Amino acid sequence: MAFLVPVLIIIGGSTMQLELLDRLRQINPIVFNISNFVTVQDVANGINAIGASPIMSEEINEAQEMVQLSSAVALNLGAFTMPQIEQIRTVGHLANQCRKPLILDPVAVGAVQYRHNVVLELLNDFDVDIIRGNAGEIAALAGVDWHAKGIDAGNGEDDIAAIVKLCAQKQQCVVILSGTIDVISDGKQVVKISNGTPLFQLHVGSGDMLTSIVGAFAAVSGDYFVAAQSACAVFAIAGQLVAERLNAELPGTFAVQLMDELHLITVDEVQRNLKMEVVK
Amino acid sequence: MAFLVPVLIIIGGSTMQLELLDRLRQINPIVFNISNFVTVQDVANGINAIGASPIMSEEINEAQEMVQLSSAVALNLGAFTMPQIEQIRTVGHLANQCRKPLILDPVAVGAVQYRHNVVLELLNDFDVDIIRGNAGEIAALAGVDWHAKGIDAGNGEDDIAAIVKLCAQKQQCVVILSGTIDVISDGKQVVKISNGTPLFQLHVGSGDMLTSIVGAFAAVSGDYFVAAQSACAVFAIAGQLVAERLNAELPGTFAVQLMDELHLITVDEVQRNLKMEVVK
Amino acid sequence: MAFLVPVLIIIGGSTMQLELLDRLRQINPIVFNISNFVTVQDVANGINAIGASPIMSEEINEAQEMVQLSSAVALNLGAFTMPQIEQIRTVGHLANQCRKPLILDPVAVGAVQYRHNVVLELLNDFDVDIIRGNAGEIAALAGVDWHAKGIDAGNGEDDIAAIVKLCAQKQQCVVILSGTIDVISDGKQVVKISNGTPLFQLHVGSGDMLTSIVGAFAAVSGDYFVAAQSACAVFAIAGQLVAERLNAELPGTFAVQLMDELHLITVDEVQRNLKMEVVK
């Protein structure tokens, strides 16, 4: 169903988006992460492998310096305690004040009511530029009553595109729903990327890693919709290239080679493999 | 010394235990982990690789929802601070209330008196279904004065079996002592599994991973003694199969391929390799 | 520029330093780590792979027992909150009281003023035996105004040697500046190790791992200057041997094989590959 589209058709004649990967590697932007303790090492290594620099901190007293040092801020709500929410709030405000791109990963807000409530409060407190979540999480932030389980990007693709667009409109930011297919919207356009591999599901933290890599792309692009698409394309195709080389479902080996591939992947490889389409 | 026993002889004519692996993969149970921050990513990936789903949280306000979402709860005491102990207490109570299988990993209670005291308090506060520890930890919970160092499952196997049984009686639950040989008791029977590989010792978190995988098996079995045996057999044989393929002691490669093998291993492979015996 | 020097020339006719690796593996010392949550699992596995035993704890109530159990204490300031600083202070005092070698990794003190202030306070509170940092961090602790970015061990090697020596004099301990070249001083002599590989930069936590491995060597040597050199030599050459086998820059594979090599590397391999020189 998805078909190969040359990059320049998608983004109004510009090939800028994939060149962002080269620009990222040249600039080596610092991404400040409020991280999920479950996946933090992988996320740090992923940011590093793609060509950016990770910093992590949980201390509110150094939040201002950390935000000032960085070129993008990624807030992962994977595992947060009450004191961490205060720090997240502070860092969100600071990112807005310092005009740093702010990425949010609303982990499990579709499944846990407490998290849903906390995230809605946070989204009232500061402005997010890009949200990256799975189907259940994005549906929850779109205000759609959809159970996390049972959503399959293969079925009901039209519904999913509509939900992502609705979420982008409601939250007034770029929204990425990542899964078998990545669906990305700025509230006006919706773009679908049909690369990737089911092996991402077998490695905990794939989504967290993508969120922070989106931050790295946002750090080197003024257009967050373009940054989001570029990051998703590079990440999905890196995983796909690894999966194509494996002769079995090997979650451990996949994780290691994904790190290798994030470092090696070229704009040319992304361009040759990209399956992207404008949905509506 | 250990000999190959067909599964059906061990468990009174039933082959149910190894079929639990297939059931686990079909049901994909959620295991809620109070985790050791040192090994948490590996544990999450291990749970995922075997075919279950991990959730982790350190926030007491979402403890109830997390327990309700899950089919088993694994409490790892690997690295706990005072506030975390309060959360562990709360989660333990909730697991009892919601009748979820509750697994405890009493990390270092044999070596650190403070931990010993905390664990004994916790064990008074809620009921544990399965304890998984090493020789020093299980001896401590059995009330036996045995130094962690110097215990070798090769010597004094009879003593070890007696300690595991005593611990199971004292704590009124199933007890797993994992090591070169895994010894498992429900307080009446004692079973020994002589699979595995010394390479487990070279990878930090092998024990933590086993604890949570025991939780995944307990989630799909009404009989915790059987669940414990099945989990130990699958885990030990996965490690053994990896070790047999390596031509040197490679702790990094072992960890990666263990993750692969946890995903690939079949009931048939477990059955062909199982070295299990009823001790007393 | 660096040239191969037989070990016995460097250290006044003694070959003791490299034999420390064998002694370490024989004694299997426990290293207590106040760890960076970003890299903690890798650090634990690295300590384990080289032949020592890691323990980690964040709870002040068990600090005394942990210090007493251990043969060296490594304080990593990678990611610390206010309560963690109190614990670091307590553990530092205890290490001094119990006369355990104390290693400090002053993460990001060159880039973040808040951290610089905290570390200077801590260094007033207890005595450190060895400091391990990158160029920006060591310069900051030497009181030299040098920006973290732009320091290249290739240029200005003389300046770097002077800074390391100055830092060692100022902080009255052994100082390791690790990077493309490792520079080590006890305030009198300066030694340079020109092994290693740029791939260390691609793996987050390489420096943290080295810090704790330095702790393991300090645990089995009365001479911390010798311990520091030995640890740096073994670690750098392990990375170099892995890099020489890879045919591309593979950060994921490098991390896995580094763990393998830390376990396999022999005194003989270190001796054959060592590029060490006394600078001044």
Side-chain angles (χ1 to χ4, degrees):
Chain A
M1 178 178 299
F3 49 95
L4 213 150
V5 184
V7 180
L8 71 168
I9 294 182
I10 304 292
I11 314 296
S14 160
T15 58
M16 190 196 86
Q17 58 163 2
L18 292 182
E19 289 163 2
L20 279 183
L21 176 59
D22 287 336
R23 197 193 296 173
L24 187 164
R25 285 170 175 165
Q26 207 177 350
I27 294 177
N28 185 24
I30 293 176
V31 182
F32 175 30
N33 301 272
I34 303 296
S35 48
N36 181 344
F37 72 92
V38 181
T39 60
V40 60
Q41 182 163 13
D42 242 35
V43 169
N45 276 311
I47 292 171
N48 215 26
I50 196 87
S53 289
I55 56 177
M56 274 78 177
S57 162
E58 296 192 328
E59 172 53 53
I60 212 160
N61 283 317
E62 62 183 5
Q64 181 144 13
E65 282 190 82
M66 290 293 179
V67 170
Q68 281 165 344
L69 272 174
S70 68
S71 297
V73 176
L75 302 176
N76 185 306
L77 305 184
F80 56 101
T81 56
M82 289 295 282
Q84 283 162 356
I85 292 172
E86 280 323 294
Q87 201 220 356
I88 287 167
R89 200 184 308 275
T90 304
V91 170
H93 279 142
L94 288 166
N96 285 175
Q97 270 174 33
C98 302
R99 298 175 179 277
K100 310 283 182 174
L102 186 57
I103 328 300
L104 184 81
D105 190 330
V107 180
V109 298
V112 183
Q113 189 59 43
Y114 170 73
R115 290 178 168 233
H116 196 178
N117 299 343
V118 170
V119 167
L120 292 184
E121 273 181 40
L122 291 174
L123 286 170
N124 270 333
D125 266 16
F126 50 75
D127 294 327
V128 166
D129 297 305
I130 309 176
I131 293 173
R132 201 285 320 159
N134 66 23
E137 292 155 2
I138 299 305
L141 294 183
V144 174
D145 185 20
W146 194 324
H147 294 290
K149 287 232 173 185
I151 291 193
D152 179 343
N155 311 331
E157 283 192 18
D158 288 349
D159 291 340
I160 283 182
I163 286 173
V164 175
K165 195 175 183 178
L166 180 61
C167 184
Q169 288 167 350
K170 196 158 185 175
Q171 304 299 341
Q172 293 182 282
C173 66
V174 172
V175 170
I176 301 167
L177 185 160
S178 69
T180 316
I181 292 176
D182 294 335
V183 182
I184 308 157
S185 177
D186 61 354
K188 288 171 240 151
Q189 277 191 297
V190 181
V191 166
K192 227 188 262 188
I193 297 173
S194 309
N195 295 100
T197 161
L199 281 171
F200 278 124
Q201 305 292 332
L202 278 177
H203 182 60
V204 174
S206 295
D208 296 348
M209 210 189 289
L210 175 55
T211 299
S212 287
I213 286 176
V214 167
F217 277 86
V220 296
S221 166
D223 184 333
Y224 299 141
F225 190 34
V226 167
Q229 293 170 59
S230 308
C232 288
V234 169
F235 192 70
I237 290 168
Q240 182 181 315
L241 293 176
V242 173
E244 285 167 3
R245 284 195 298 265
L246 298 179
N247 51 9
E249 277 201 342
L250 306 174
T253 302
F254 174 74
V256 173
Q257 295 192 7
L258 177 62
M259 218 57 93
D260 293 342
E261 191 60 45
L262 287 174
H263 186 64
L264 297 177
I265 194 168
T266 63
V267 167
D268 190 52
E269 283 175 305
V270 177
Q271 219 149 359
R272 275 204 312 274
N273 287 280
L274 186 65
K275 287 186 184 174
M276 200 174 184
E277 53 178 329
V278 178
V279 182
K280 52 173 90 175
Chain B
M1 178 176 302
F3 50 94
L4 215 151
V5 185
V7 181
L8 70 168
I9 293 182
I10 304 291
I11 314 296
S14 160
T15 57
M16 190 196 87
Q17 59 164 0
L18 292 181
E19 290 164 4
L20 278 182
L21 176 59
D22 288 335
R23 198 195 293 175
L24 188 163
R25 287 172 174 161
Q26 205 177 352
I27 294 177
N28 185 25
I30 294 176
V31 181
F32 174 30
N33 301 272
I34 302 297
S35 47
N36 181 344
F37 72 92
V38 181
T39 59
V40 59
Q41 182 163 12
D42 243 35
V43 169
N45 275 310
I47 292 170
N48 214 27
I50 196 86
S53 289
I55 55 176
M56 273 79 175
S57 161
E58 297 192 327
E59 173 52 54
I60 212 160
N61 283 316
E62 61 183 5
Q64 181 144 14
E65 282 190 83
M66 290 294 179
V67 171
Q68 280 165 343
L69 272 173
S70 68
S71 297
V73 176
L75 302 176
N76 184 307
L77 305 184
F80 57 100
T81 55
M82 288 294 285
Q84 282 162 358
I85 292 172
E86 279 323 294
Q87 202 220 354
I88 287 167
R89 200 185 309 273
T90 303
V91 169
H93 279 142
L94 287 166
N96 284 174
Q97 270 174 35
C98 302
R99 299 174 180 277
K100 310 283 180 174
L102 185 58
I103 327 300
L104 184 82
D105 190 330
V107 180
V109 297
V112 183
Q113 189 58 43
Y114 170 73
R115 290 177 169 235
H116 196 178
N117 299 343
V118 170
V119 167
L120 292 184
E121 273 181 39
L122 291 173
L123 286 170
N124 270 332
D125 266 17
F126 49 76
D127 294 327
V128 166
D129 296 305
I130 308 175
I131 294 174
R132 201 284 321 160
N134 64 25
E137 292 155 2
I138 298 306
L141 295 184
V144 174
D145 185 20
W146 192 325
H147 295 289
K149 288 231 174 188
I151 291 193
D152 180 342
N155 312 330
E157 283 192 19
D158 288 349
D159 291 339
I160 284 182
I163 287 174
V164 175
K165 194 175 184 178
L166 181 62
C167 184
Q169 288 166 349
K170 196 157 185 174
Q171 304 299 340
Q172 293 182 285
C173 66
V174 171
V175 170
I176 301 167
L177 185 159
S178 69
T180 317
I181 291 175
D182 295 336
V183 182
I184 308 157
S185 176
D186 62 354
K188 285 170 244 151
Q189 277 192 297
V190 182
V191 165
K192 226 189 262 188
I193 297 174
S194 309
N195 294 99
T197 162
L199 282 170
F200 278 125
Q201 304 292 334
L202 280 177
H203 182 60
V204 174
S206 295
D208 296 349
M209 209 188 290
L210 174 56
T211 298
S212 287
I213 287 176
V214 167
F217 277 85
V220 296
S221 166
D223 184 333
Y224 299 142
F225 190 33
V226 167
Q229 293 170 60
S230 308
C232 289
V234 169
F235 193 71
I237 291 168
Q240 180 181 318
L241 293 175
V242 172
E244 285 167 4
R245 282 196 298 266
L246 298 179
N247 50 9
E249 277 201 343
L250 306 174
T253 301
F254 174 74
V256 173
Q257 294 191 8
L258 176 63
M259 218 56 93
D260 293 341
E261 191 60 44
L262 287 174
H263 186 64
L264 296 178
I265 193 168
T266 62
V267 167
D268 190 52
E269 283 174 305
V270 176
Q271 219 148 358
R272 273 205 312 274
N273 287 280
L274 186 65
K275 287 185 185 174
M276 202 173 182
E277 53 178 329
V278 178
V279 181
K280 50 174 92 180
Chain C
M1 178 177 301
F3 49 93
L4 213 150
V5 184
V7 180
L8 70 169
I9 294 184
I10 304 292
I11 312 298
S14 161
T15 57
M16 190 196 87
Q17 59 164 1
L18 291 181
E19 291 164 3
L20 279 182
L21 176 59
D22 287 336
R23 197 193 298 173
L24 187 164
R25 286 170 175 163
Q26 206 177 351
I27 294 177
N28 185 24
I30 293 176
V31 182
F32 174 30
N33 301 272
I34 302 296
S35 48
N36 181 344
F37 72 93
V38 180
T39 60
V40 59
Q41 182 163 13
D42 244 35
V43 170
N45 277 310
I47 292 170
N48 215 26
I50 198 83
S53 289
I55 56 177
M56 274 78 176
S57 161
E58 297 192 328
E59 172 52 53
I60 212 161
N61 283 317
E62 62 183 4
Q64 181 143 14
E65 281 190 83
M66 290 293 179
V67 171
Q68 281 165 344
L69 272 173
S70 67
S71 298
V73 176
L75 302 175
N76 184 306
L77 305 184
F80 56 100
T81 56
M82 288 294 284
Q84 282 163 356
I85 292 172
E86 279 324 294
Q87 201 220 353
I88 287 167
R89 200 184 309 274
T90 305
V91 170
H93 279 143
L94 289 166
N96 285 174
Q97 271 174 33
C98 303
R99 299 176 180 276
K100 310 283 182 174
L102 185 58
I103 328 300
L104 184 82
D105 190 330
V107 181
V109 297
V112 182
Q113 189 58 43
Y114 170 73
R115 290 178 169 234
H116 195 178
N117 300 343
V118 169
V119 167
L120 292 185
E121 272 180 41
L122 292 173
L123 286 170
N124 270 333
D125 267 16
F126 49 76
D127 294 326
V128 166
D129 297 306
I130 308 176
I131 294 174
R132 201 285 319 161
N134 65 24
E137 292 155 2
I138 298 306
L141 294 184
V144 175
D145 184 20
W146 192 326
H147 294 291
K149 286 231 174 186
I151 291 192
D152 179 341
N155 310 329
E157 283 192 18
D158 288 350
D159 292 340
I160 284 182
I163 287 174
V164 175
K165 195 175 184 178
L166 181 61
C167 184
Q169 288 166 349
K170 197 157 184 174
Q171 304 300 340
Q172 293 181 283
C173 66
V174 171
V175 170
I176 301 167
L177 186 159
S178 69
T180 316
I181 292 174
D182 294 336
V183 183
I184 307 156
S185 178
D186 62 353
K188 288 171 239 150
Q189 277 192 298
V190 182
V191 165
K192 226 188 260 189
I193 296 173
S194 309
N195 294 101
T197 161
L199 281 170
F200 277 125
Q201 305 292 333
L202 279 176
H203 182 60
V204 175
S206 295
D208 296 348
M209 210 189 288
L210 174 55
T211 299
S212 287
I213 286 175
V214 167
F217 277 86
V220 296
S221 166
D223 183 333
Y224 299 141
F225 190 34
V226 166
Q229 293 170 58
S230 308
C232 288
V234 169
F235 192 71
I237 290 168
Q240 181 181 317
L241 293 175
V242 172
E244 285 168 4
R245 283 196 297 265
L246 297 180
N247 51 9
E249 277 199 343
L250 306 175
T253 302
F254 174 74
V256 173
Q257 294 191 9
L258 176 62
M259 217 58 92
D260 292 342
E261 191 60 46
L262 287 173
H263 186 64
L264 296 177
I265 194 168
T266 62
V267 168
D268 189 52
E269 283 175 306
V270 176
Q271 219 149 359
R272 274 205 313 273
N273 287 280
L274 186 65
K275 288 186 183 173
M276 201 175 185
E277 53 178 329
V278 179
V279 182
K280 51 174 88 178

